[in-house]
Amino acid sequence: LSSNVGIAKLANDAYNKSTEGRSMFRNRLSQFGLDKITEIEIDGEPRPIIKKPVADKKTWYGTTIPWMAHGYELSMTPLQLLTFYNAVANNGKMMKPYLVSEIRNEDKIVKQFEPRVLIESIARPENITYAKEMMEEVVKNGTASAIKSPQLTMAGKTGTTRINYSNKEEYA
């Protein structure tokens, strides 16, 4: 079962007692590659926004850790988040996404795109295994069970987001 309150409490209790703990939480997000661009060849990819407890102390609040623990108070593109989930699926190896394998001009290859590793391992293998099992359970028996298919095994993560903070009724 999914619980924003539960994960917020766990993160708060583990990391929100000191500046060192808050920095450790932020460093874990960086270790996961969540603060990095994907380097995809599309102009305009924004850098993810993940606050730092010391550098951003004017906008760091007592609620920042619990909110960040379930995805609020940070910003990244869908492709950046998908790159993270893909790393979990790839046993911790974060790969640079690419949309095409080559560009051709008639029969001549103009440019080729090869798989490239961005981060060799975002977490310990046993933690990746736990994350994969948890995400598979989301589809098998959890909040995404409506998309379960007998033809293939899937993993997922459901959630909520606010798309307009000025309108308290607008959720996705």
Side-chain angles (χ1 to χ4, degrees):
L1 297 177
S2 179
S3 172
N4 286 354
V5 173
I7 196 67
K9 182 169 177 16
L10 285 170
N12 189 64
D13 292 350
Y15 295 103
N16 211 11
K17 292 181 174 66
S18 66
T19 300
E20 293 78 23
R22 292 184 279 277
S23 293
M24 184 185 293
F25 181 85
R26 172 54 172 83
N27 290 340
R28 289 282 185 245
L29 297 180
S30 182
Q31 174 188 336
F32 297 152
L34 292 172
D35 61 347
K36 305 201 177 21
I37 61 171
T38 66
E39 301 177 29
I40 194 163
E41 290 83 2
I42 298 175
D43 290 342
E45 180 184 11
R47 184 162 297 285
I49 299 170
I50 302 177
K51 293 192 277 189
K52 297 178 179 175
V54 176
D56 299 314
K57 64 183 172 188
K58 288 184 179 181
T59 59
W60 190 279
Y61 308 102
T63 56
T64 295
I65 292 277
W67 279 61
M68 288 173 85
H70 55 82
Y72 290 1
E73 284 201 45
L74 43 84
S75 177
M76 61 193 64
T77 68
L79 184 59
Q80 290 162 347
L81 188 57
L82 182 60
T83 300
F84 168 72
Y85 285 128
N86 188 58
V88 173
N90 283 327
N91 298 316
K93 187 179 289 192
M94 183 174 281
M95 304 298 294
K96 177 185 173 209
Y98 62 102
L99 303 175
V100 296
S101 58
E102 60 189 29
I103 298 173
R104 291 177 168 255
N105 184 354
E106 295 182 15
D107 289 335
K108 183 180 177 196
I109 296 173
V110 176
K111 187 170 183 177
Q112 280 191 300
F113 301 92
E114 299 289 333
R116 185 164 63 85
V117 176
L118 296 174
I119 300 174
E120 195 61 45
S121 180
I122 62 167
R124 292 191 310 244
E126 60 269 24
N127 292 335
I128 293 295
T129 298
Y130 292 139
K132 287 169 77 170
E133 289 171 1
M134 178 184 64
M135 292 173 71
E136 287 172 2
E137 281 298 315
V138 168
V139 176
K140 285 180 188 173
N141 301 305
T143 52
S145 61
I147 67 166
K148 183 170 38 178
S149 168
Q151 284 82 30
L152 58 115
T153 302
M154 290 186 275
K157 172 65 185 92
T158 59
T160 57
T161 186
R162 264 210 175 136
I163 45 181
N164 182 348
Y165 278 88
S166 64
N167 181 350
K168 296 192 184 328
E169 302 299 317
E170 199 168 319
Y171 289 89

